[in-house]
Amino acid sequence: MSVEALSSVKALFNPRSIALVGATDKSGWSVSTLLNLRTHGFPGPVHLVNPRGGVVHGLPAHRSLTEIPEPVDLAYVMVPTAAVLGVLREGAELGIRAYVVLTAGFGESGAEGARMEAEIAAFAREHGLTVLGPNGNGYINAAAGVTPYGLPIPEPLLRGAVGVVLQSGALASSVLGFALARNVGISLLTSMGNESVLTVTDVVDYLVDDPATRVIALFLETIRNPAEFARVARRALEAGKPIVALKIGRSKLASRTAQAHTGALVGDDDVIDAALRQLGVIRVRSLEDLIITAGLLAATGPLPGRRIGVVTPSGGASEIIADRAEDEGLELPAFAPETVARLAEIVPSFGTVQNPLDVTGYVLVDRTLLGRALEVVTADPGIDVVLLLSEPPKVAPPDPAPVLALYAASARRIAESPVPVVVVSNVLTDVTEFGRRVQQETGYPYVAGGIEHGLQAIAAAVRWSQTRDRVLSRPAAPEAAPVAVPEGASGVWAEHRAAALLASAGLPVVPSALARSAEEAVAAAEGFGYPVVLKVAAEGLGHKSDVGGVRLGVRDAGEVRRVHAELTGAVPEADGVLVQPQRGGGVELLVGIVRDPAWGPTLAVGLGGVWVEVLRDAALRVLPVDAAEVRLALSELRGSALLRGARGAEPADLDAVAEVVARIAAFAESLGDRLESLEINPLLVTGSRVEALDALVTWRP
């Protein structure tokens, strides 16, 4: 986004004066918007506009924007659908550049609404207007006290560091309510509406630069422009601002092309999942996790590693934490000997000093026990992060001073800890008014709600931190230079043409010869040396094994002649028979590139052979990728142990494999938009030898 565009978005969210256009006592939206502006400290004038004039909400109303005697920075538009464009025309003539359009009945309602929305968008772009909506509730700039928002705002409005962007107006109140319940403050919340002009990525761009925002939380129904989304996600990663996203609309896996095995592995949601991971966007599955994870990251920032030390007052909770930590890929290492010795002096004799640490119910007798144990564990040299099981009090005692003192002491220990301390409660319950008071007055940190959500949030924060370090420590993978698409590229290219294409790019392909006659096949076999493999070669034939078109272990000239006759007889349209030396041993991989309609070329790498669709063990990446990213993808496979040399087998040279796969991906990308899919199945890996044994290419019309 240009500097000018960012400036216009900033002006939208930070107006000095506001006009409510279409204000009326009959509308709850109008009542709520004015009340929100009055209640939450908007310092500038708010002008009411109603075509009848008179008094609205107890204040004099102007009949039009033109009647307002002073400049207006933001017009909040609540007029009927057909009147919206007229408001924008009048406002543009007056120099008003920022608009929130609450009105519905546009693209979401049918063809006529879509036509009117397109007119509004075209007019806005022509005149340089910034428009949020239509069909959106507006926004809450909590950091600046600007709240042109059409629904009641739960009280109190907590100001904090989480910027929230929602593609659903109906969920905004629930998100605000839950954030309040978990004591998570927001910097900005926007209800995007139809995004006819201002988009999610525009708002994320603004939040990346917003000093009041440390974490960005997104509720996404769709990612309208993947390239723009990738750009702003990269900006957020570079700025150290995590993006947490709840992306809905997971679809059933759908094949991109009937010919390629890869198509059965790559569905819409799989590609989105892969893209978000590569971009460092934390994907969550619930609104609760969206807010809890964002709140945790706003409080802690990056976490240095996955080695977790746990301090709890409960044995049962310790066991739950141990199970969930393993599920999330977090490590609970044994405490160092010096840590064990120091804890043994603190923990009652009937307790056991181990990680997770249960300091026992003796905390009811010695209120300092949990804090003193925390101090010891945070000093352990083998711990990256400490999880403290605790939560703010719920009910105010007659004399709150001792409680405040106790929590203040714990807050000091946490603040002085050499490693981050994440506080997690046993279960997901609301932080009460007294609990908020304790946190505000003592500096007691954010508390992640419940062990389940808390462990997910910690693991997500660790993964984000590692992804950021990895992505920023190496340059972005270079985009492949385009190459000329071969003449006559159309339809499906079976192995003999696909393999030749790969070989022309210098990629390792098993030697082969196309034999149109039996004698040519014998000559080729004797040149390679027996045993050999014979495969039927026919244009458009994707899966040769489905028609019995592959014969392995052919050992002499007579068998070559017989198999040649059988294969060409079974497939009359065959161009001949492909003869190859037989390879044995090693691990078979599938390497496929399929064009996603939104994200473009997508790599799938996994265990290959005939079991691809049965085992479904594949890792996905959106191109471009480098060898380091491919190596990471290989490590994600359930069958990665095979590559490491399971049960005495020769281990694969993973650097060599990753390099070849990255070259294949770069070549596929270089073929441009004409390529629908490119698949190598199998790519045989034997030690450091990496060789494509079969290939298939499908071209787009």
Side-chain angles (χ1 to χ4, degrees):
M1 180 184 282
S2 67
V3 174
E4 293 80 8
L6 280 171
S7 177
S8 68
V9 177
K10 183 177 181 180
L12 168 74
F13 292 134
N14 295 273
R16 292 162 297 180
S17 61
I18 298 174
L20 304 186
V21 185
T24 169
D25 292 322
K26 299 177 181 179
S27 167
W29 305 96
S30 183
V31 171
S32 292
T33 305
L34 181 60
L35 181 62
N36 289 335
L37 289 167
R38 283 174 165 174
T39 303
H40 297 291
F42 178 62
V46 178
H47 307 282
L48 305 184
V49 177
N50 183 293
R52 294 184 177 86
V55 176
V56 176
H57 306 323
L59 298 171
H62 303 281
R63 286 189 293 270
S64 67
L65 286 169
T66 306
E67 285 191 1
I68 299 174
E70 57 187 280
V72 171
D73 292 332
L74 171 68
Y76 189 91
V77 183
M78 300 175 283
V79 300
T81 307
V84 171
L85 183 57
V87 173
L88 267 62
R89 286 192 174 117
E90 182 186 12
E93 290 180 1
L94 296 170
I96 302 171
R97 292 286 172 262
Y99 299 81
V100 172
V101 180
L102 175 82
T103 309
F106 289 95
E108 79 283 1
S109 65
E112 178 58 19
R115 183 193 63 77
M116 289 190 287
E117 183 173 330
E119 284 184 348
I120 288 174
F123 181 84
R125 293 189 178 96
E126 181 182 353
H127 292 82
L129 308 183
T130 303
V131 179
L132 175 61
N135 187 32
N137 296 326
Y139 67 83
I140 299 169
N141 186 345
V146 183
T147 54
Y149 184 73
L151 294 174
I153 298 174
E155 295 293 341
L157 174 59
L158 298 182
R159 291 165 170 81
V162 178
V164 183
V165 187
L166 304 169
Q167 284 182 330
S168 170
L171 290 178
S173 296
S174 297
V175 168
L176 282 168
F178 185 72
L180 174 62
R182 292 309 313 159
N183 207 29
V184 175
I186 66 168
S187 56
L188 176 77
L189 179 144
T190 59
S191 171
M192 295 304 303
N194 293 2
E195 297 183 65
S196 63
V197 179
L198 192 75
T199 66
V200 165
T201 51
D202 295 330
V203 180
V204 173
D205 243 339
Y206 166 80
L207 292 173
V208 170
D209 293 332
D210 177 29
T213 300
R214 290 199 293 271
V215 179
I216 300 165
L218 307 178
F219 175 84
L220 300 173
E221 294 174 339
T222 184
I223 297 175
R224 301 180 189 276
N225 187 328
E228 268 294 287
F229 187 88
R231 181 188 64 79
V232 297
R234 175 82 185 198
R235 282 196 71 220
L237 205 61
E238 292 170 348
K241 294 191 177 184
I243 296 178
V244 186
L246 173 56
K247 170 67 180 70
I248 62 167
R250 284 179 286 162
S251 62
K252 294 181 180 179
L253 294 173
S255 175
R256 301 278 176 224
T257 166
Q259 294 293 336
H261 285 292
T262 312
L265 300 175
V266 183
D268 294 343
D269 196 64
D270 301 294
V271 177
I272 291 169
D273 216 42
L276 295 182
R277 282 199 310 273
Q278 286 173 255
L279 295 170
V281 176
I282 299 166
R283 189 176 188 185
V284 295
R285 302 292 182 181
S286 68
L287 289 172
E288 292 86 352
D289 284 320
L290 180 68
I291 298 304
I292 290 170
T293 304
L296 183 145
L297 278 158
T300 67
L303 296 181
R306 59 181 62 250
R307 299 176 301 173
I308 311 297
V310 179
V311 181
T312 84
S314 166
S318 296
E319 293 169 357
I320 297 172
I321 290 169
D323 287 346
R324 289 295 292 116
E326 183 173 305
D327 294 341
E328 296 291 341
L330 300 172
E331 301 172 13
L332 302 181
F335 291 136
E338 59 268 29
T339 304
V340 173
R342 290 182 63 194
L343 288 173
E345 298 174 358
I346 298 173
V347 176
S349 58
F350 51 85
T352 302
V353 175
Q354 62 183 15
N355 189 19
L357 176 66
D358 169 20
V359 299
T360 77
Y362 203 70
V363 291
L364 297 176
V365 177
D366 180 357
R367 297 289 186 177
T368 69
L369 176 57
L370 195 66
R372 289 186 294 126
L374 172 68
E375 198 170 278
V376 173
V377 172
T378 58
D380 189 293
I383 298 298
D384 299 316
V385 179
V386 174
L387 185 161
L388 174 65
L389 197 70
S390 179
E391 59 187 300
K394 297 189 177 303
V395 180
D399 179 11
V403 173
L404 291 170
L406 180 65
Y407 276 87
S410 293
R412 283 193 298 273
R413 284 190 173 100
I414 292 170
E416 294 168 359
S417 168
V419 297
V421 176
V422 178
V423 185
V424 177
S425 59
N426 274 297
V427 294
L428 181 56
T429 55
D430 292 355
V431 177
T432 65
E433 183 178 349
F434 180 63
R436 279 198 299 276
R437 176 190 165 189
V438 169
Q439 288 187 281
Q440 290 166 357
E441 293 185 11
T442 67
Y444 197 76
Y446 170 76
V447 179
I451 293 172
E452 172 71 20
H453 299 287
L455 264 295
Q456 285 189 28
I458 292 172
V462 168
R463 288 193 296 271
W464 175 81
S465 304
Q466 292 177 334
T467 298
R468 182 170 187 263
D469 290 343
R470 185 175 68 251
V471 171
L472 298 186
S473 66
R474 66 176 191 252
E479 294 189 7
V483 301
V485 175
E487 187 176 348
S490 64
V492 177
W493 279 16
E495 181 180 358
H496 60 295
R497 296 184 73 184
L501 178 65
L502 294 172
S504 71
L507 296 167
V509 178
V510 65
S512 63
L514 179 62
R516 301 186 185 279
S517 68
E519 294 311 313
E520 288 179 354
V522 170
E526 292 178 349
F528 291 135
Y530 293 104
V532 294
V533 177
L534 270 63
K535 304 175 182 178
V536 66
E539 287 297 331
L541 180 60
H543 298 156
K544 296 178 288 294
S545 57
D546 291 350
V547 296
V550 179
R551 302 293 174 85
L552 306 175
V554 179
R555 297 188 172 276
D556 56 43
E559 192 174 1
V560 168
R561 293 185 179 93
R562 177 176 59 79
V563 170
H564 186 281
E566 290 174 355
L567 293 179
T568 54
V571 184
E573 66 275 18
D575 298 318
V577 170
L578 211 59
V579 183
Q580 298 172 341
Q582 180 155 320
R583 304 297 196 212
V587 178
E588 293 185 347
L589 295 179
L590 171 137
V591 178
I593 292 89
V594 174
R595 181 169 301 281
D596 181 83
W599 293 90
T602 302
L603 168 71
V605 58
L607 295 183
V610 297
W611 299 105
V612 173
E613 294 171 28
V614 176
L615 298 177
R616 299 191 55 77
D617 186 14
L620 303 185
R621 293 294 189 274
V622 175
L623 300 189
V625 295
D626 59 12
E629 190 66 35
V630 173
R631 173 128 190 201
L632 181 64
L634 292 170
S635 72
E636 296 169 5
L637 300 176
R638 296 190 303 274
S640 61
L642 295 173
L643 292 167
R644 295 193 299 270
R647 306 195 67 165
E650 181 182 8
D653 182 341
L654 292 175
D655 288 334
V657 178
E659 180 63 33
V660 169
V661 174
R663 287 170 55 202
I664 293 168
F667 176 64
E669 190 178 19
S670 74
L671 292 171
D673 293 344
R674 286 291 309 283
L675 181 73
E676 177 67 37
S677 69
L678 184 157
E679 179 176 286
I680 296 173
N681 182 28
L683 181 75
L684 184 64
V685 180
T686 310
S688 60
R689 188 174 74 181
V690 184
E691 196 174 39
L693 302 190
D694 201 345
L696 184 71
V697 173
T698 305
W699 301 99
R700 301 172 78 190

